[in-house]
Amino acid sequence: MLSPVITNSEERSRRRMMQRVNCRNSRNWRNVAVSCGSGKNGNEGIGASEGWNSGSFLSPSHNYAILKHRMEIAAKSEFYEEAARIRDSLKCFEDEVPVLRLRRLLKEAVADERFQDAAKYRDQLKEIAPHSLLKCSSDCTTLGIRVQVKSVYLEGRSESTAEEVYFFEYKIRITNNTNRPVQLLRRHWIITDANGKTENFWGIGVGGEQPAIFPKSSFEFSSTCPLNAQNGRMEGNFELIHVDRVGPRAFSVDVAPFSLSLLGDGDDGEII
């Protein structure tokens, strides 16, 4: 596992998109193909000549993540017809990817108040994908300091990597709900991948600085974390001090656990 690195958020605009899904054999995910148009008009995308080799197949989970990313871009670009077609194509994967199938069954069981079935699906998810029940977001308040986190899979950056490395971006908002100004001095991350490997990382500040956060105000930053697995989890803490007096004692603020998942949460929640 590589250490998380600070990066600025990158916005990529795509003017036009195409997608093609062949689901003639729903039991063979290799019959599912995705193509995004790329031509002289500046459209960006993935095709046989741009990172998608028809002779080497991605996993069903990775295919699903790519399609979901395409749908989000189409929706943001207001190509709603394309977004709707991609949305319908995503349904082809629900019965092929066990985690997606169990998530859907769990959601339906809870909605129908079939709680015994819901418990069964939950236990199956815990067995095959322990991190899948953890949300890609968290919200925790310690001593009046609120820390909100949201993570997303970076499909484009992960595709450009020759090795099996998956990149995730996490955005964090730290809000000072106290009446005293504070300063963030250090960070500590505990990162566990789907293979059970856990590593600890310590660093000075966040985002390349040690920000002061005044009462009733917030500080936001984003960072990326590479994993050698399709999912994992992060948690940690920040070390802060009060800056309105001399020689203050440092105190710790928790960052509640959140998931790093190629499949995401399966909802359309906005990043903070």
Side-chain angles (χ1 to χ4, degrees), residues 243-262:
V243 294
D244 57 351
R245 63 180 59 180
V246 178
R249 290 186 177 181
F251 62 98
S252 180
V253 170
D254 292 333
V255 182
F258 60 95
S259 176
L260 303 172
S261 173
L262 185 146

Side-chain angles (χ1 to χ4, degrees), residues 127-141:
E127 182 176 352
I128 67 171
H131 301 301
S132 63
L133 293 174
L134 186 64
K135 288 287 187 179
C136 293
S137 60
S138 70
D139 190 338
C140 181
T141 298

Side-chain angles (χ1 to χ4, degrees), residues 9 19 39 46 75 117 139 146 169 199 206 234:
S9 300
Q19 67 85 28
I46 296 175
D117 290 338
D139 190 338
R146 183 182 184 186
E169 178 185 59
E199 295 191 70
V206 292
M234 284 184 68

Side-chain angles (χ1 to χ4, degrees), residues 179-190:
N179 295 319
R180 302 175 63 187
V182 298
Q183 183 179 17
L184 193 155
L185 300 181
R186 299 176 182 84
R187 67 185 184 275
H188 171 217
W189 290 118
I190 305 171

Side-chain angles (χ1 to χ4, degrees), residues 175-249:
T175 303
N176 181 1
N177 289 320
T178 74
N179 295 319
R180 302 175 63 187
V182 298
Q183 183 179 17
L184 193 155
L185 300 181
R186 299 176 182 84
R187 67 185 184 275
H188 171 217
W189 290 118
I190 305 171
I191 304 174
T192 305
D193 66 23
N195 300 318
K197 182 179 180 180
T198 298
E199 295 191 70
N200 288 266
F201 298 96
W202 288 267
I204 302 297
V206 292
E209 57 183 305
Q210 294 178 303
I213 309 173
F214 293 96
K216 315 306 178 184
S217 64
S218 300
F219 175 80
E220 298 183 14
F221 72 97
S222 64
S223 177
T224 59
C225 177
L227 284 183
N228 293 117
Q230 293 185 358
N231 58 77
R233 62 179 282 163
M234 284 184 68
E235 59 189 298
N237 58 75
F238 298 131
E239 182 181 310
L240 289 82
I241 59 170
H242 291 106
V243 294
D244 57 351
R245 63 180 59 180
V246 178
R249 290 186 177 181

Side-chain angles (χ1 to χ4, degrees), residues 62-75:
H62 206 162
N63 278 326
Y64 179 89
I66 291 173
L67 276 176
K68 187 175 180 181
H69 183 66
R70 299 288 189 263
M71 180 184 69
E72 292 170 353
I73 294 174

